[in-house]
C-alpha cells in the first residue's frame, strides 16, 4: 500500500528475550543526525512516509506559539506533551484554557482516563468519568484554542484541516521538515497529522532541538524556548515514572515519542535519533534510540545504563524478572 513500509525495507532494531530465548523481534528503521544535521547513519527505509503521530507535537506547539499563543515554562512544555493526566498536568491545561477564555468543553480531543494510575484511581473513587482535559493531547489542543482566541479564529472548527490555524501549522511543518506535505490523516486526538519520511522528521526534530533562543529567527527562538521548557520541567512531557520524562530528566535530552512505534531524541550536543518500529510497538523505542546515541558518541554508556534501570524493559515470569527488551542495532 502507498505510504507504508514493506517488511523487506526494515531492519531488526530490538528483540525480546525470555529465559534466554528470543521470543519477539522488533523491526523498523532509524536515522541518526550529527550536531550539524548531517546524516551519521541510517537503518532501513528512512525515505518512505510515516505518520509521526505525537512526535509531531513540537511542531504543532511551535505553530500555535508563532500564531500568537504566548506560552512559557511548564505551560509551553504541556503544549508539546503526551501527558499522563495528573492533577498537575490538568492545572497547566486549565490555565491555558482560561487564558483563551474557554472551558474544558471547548476541547475537541476525546474524553479519556488519565494514563497516571494514581489519578485514575482517584477519579474512580470520586465516581468521575473520562474527561477531555485528562486526554494526553489536551495541552496541544489548549494551545491551539489560545492561538485561535488571539487571532479571532473560530474555535468550534479548529481541527478542520482548512482552518486558518491548521493551514498555518502545515506551513510551519513544511518549513521545519524542508518538504512539502503530500498526505494528511486524522490523529487519535482528532487533529490533523501529516505524513513525512523519517529523514524529514529527523530534520525537523534536529532543527528544534538545536535551536537557540538568541536566533535571529522568531520560530527558532521559540523552538529554543520550548526545548528549555521541557528540559526544565521534564515531568510535564509525559509524567512521573514515564520514559520520556525519565530520560529527559536524567540525561538532559529532548525526548518525544509518538504512537505506533515512533521515537525521537535530541542529545544535549544536538545529535538526533528518530526511529519507527514497524509493528507499532513503543516498548523498544527509547532503549534503541539511546543505544544509537551512545554509538554516535553523544551520550555516555554508563549514564545510559543507569537510566535504563528505571525504564520498563524487563520481561516477567512467575512474579520475577526472567528476560529483557534488548536493542540489536
Amino acid at each position: 500500500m502507498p505510504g507504508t513500509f514493506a517488511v523487506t525495507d526494515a531492519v531488526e532494531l530490538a528483540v525480546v528475550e525470555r529465559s534466554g530465548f528470543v521470543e519477539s523481534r522488533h523491526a523498523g528503521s532509524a536515522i541518526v543526525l550529527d550536531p550539524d544535521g548531517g546524516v551519521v547513519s541510517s537503518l532501513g527505509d528512512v525515505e518512505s512516509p510515516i505518520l509521526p503521530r505525537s512526535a509531531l507535537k513540537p511542531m504543532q506547539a511551535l505553530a500555535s506559539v508563532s500564531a500568537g499563543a504566548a506560552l512559557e515554562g511548564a505551560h509551553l512544555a504541556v503544549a508539546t506533551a503526551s501527558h499522563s493526566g495528573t492533577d498537575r498536568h490538568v492545572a497547566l491545561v486549565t490555565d491555558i484554557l482560561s487564558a483563551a477564555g474557554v472551558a474544558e468543553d471547548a476541547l475537541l480531543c476525546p474524553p479519556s482516563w488519565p494514563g497516571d494510575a494514581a489519578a485514575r484511581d482517584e477519579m474512580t473513587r470520586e465516581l468521575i468519568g473520562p474527561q477531555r482535559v485528562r486526554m494526553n493531547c489536551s495541552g496541544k489542543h489548549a494551545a491551539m484554542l489560545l492561538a485561535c482566541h488571539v487571532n479571532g479564529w473560530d474555535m468550534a472548527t479548529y481541527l478542520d484541516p482548512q482552518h486558518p490555524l491548521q493551514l498555518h501549522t502545515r506551513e510551519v511543518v513544511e518549513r521545519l521538515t524542508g518538504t512539502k506535505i503530500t498526505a494528511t490523516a486524522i490523529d487519535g486526538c482528532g487533529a490533523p497529522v501529516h505524513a513525512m519520511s523519517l529523514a524529514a522528521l529527523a530534520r525537523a526534530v534536529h532543527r528544534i532541538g538545536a535551536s537557540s533562543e538568541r536566533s535571529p529567527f522568531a520560530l527558532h527562538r521559540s523552538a529554543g524556548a520550548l526545548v528549555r521548557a521541557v528540559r526544565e520541567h521534564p515531568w510535564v512531557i509525559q509524567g512521573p515514572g514515564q520514559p520520556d520524562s525519565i530520560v529527559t530528566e536524567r540525561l538532559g535530552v529532548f525526548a518525544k515519542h509518538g504512537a505506533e512505534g515512533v521515537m525521537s531524541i535530541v542529545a544535549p550536543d544536538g545529535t538526533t535519533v528518530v526511529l519507527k518500529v514497524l509493528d507499532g510497538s513503543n516498548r523498544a523505542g527509547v532503549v534503541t534510540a539511546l543505544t544509537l546515541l551512545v554509538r554516535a558518541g553523544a551520550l555516555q554508556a554508563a549514564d545510559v545504563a543507569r537510566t535504563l534501570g528505571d525504564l520498563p524493559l524487563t520481561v516477567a515470569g512467575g512474579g520475577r524478572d526472567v528476560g529483557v527488551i534488548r536493542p540489536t542495532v
Side-chain angles (χ1 to χ4, degrees), residues 170-183:
R170 182 182 179 122
E171 291 173 358
V172 169
V173 170
E174 290 181 338
R175 178 177 170 184
L176 288 168
T177 60
T179 58
K180 287 291 185 181
I181 299 301
T182 59

Side-chain angles (χ1 to χ4, degrees), residues 31 52 54-56 58 198 201-202 205-206 244 247-248 253-258 261-267 271-276 285-286 289 293:
I31 184 169
S54 283
L56 189 68
L198 272 184
L201 178 59
V205 172
H206 174 267
D244 287 3
V247 299
T248 299
V253 300
F254 178 67
K256 186 73 202 74
H257 79 280
V262 179
M263 188 69 222
S264 64
I265 301 182
V266 184
T271 303
T272 300
V273 172
V274 174
L275 62 84
K276 161 74 176 179
V286 172
L293 286 172

Side-chain angles (χ1 to χ4, degrees), residues 5 31 39 61-62 69 77 95 98 115 157 167 240-241 265 272 274 294 304 317 319:
F5 284 121
I31 184 169
V39 177
L62 288 174
D95 286 345
S98 296
T157 59
L167 293 176
I265 301 182
T272 300
V274 174
V294 169
V304 169

Side-chain angles (χ1 to χ4, degrees), residues 149-170:
H149 170 72
V150 170
N151 290 281
W153 293 331
D154 181 60
M155 293 190 180
T157 59
Y158 74 91
L159 295 184
D160 188 318
Q162 298 306 309
H163 188 280
L165 175 64
Q166 298 304 336
L167 293 176
H168 173 68
T169 300
R170 182 182 179 122

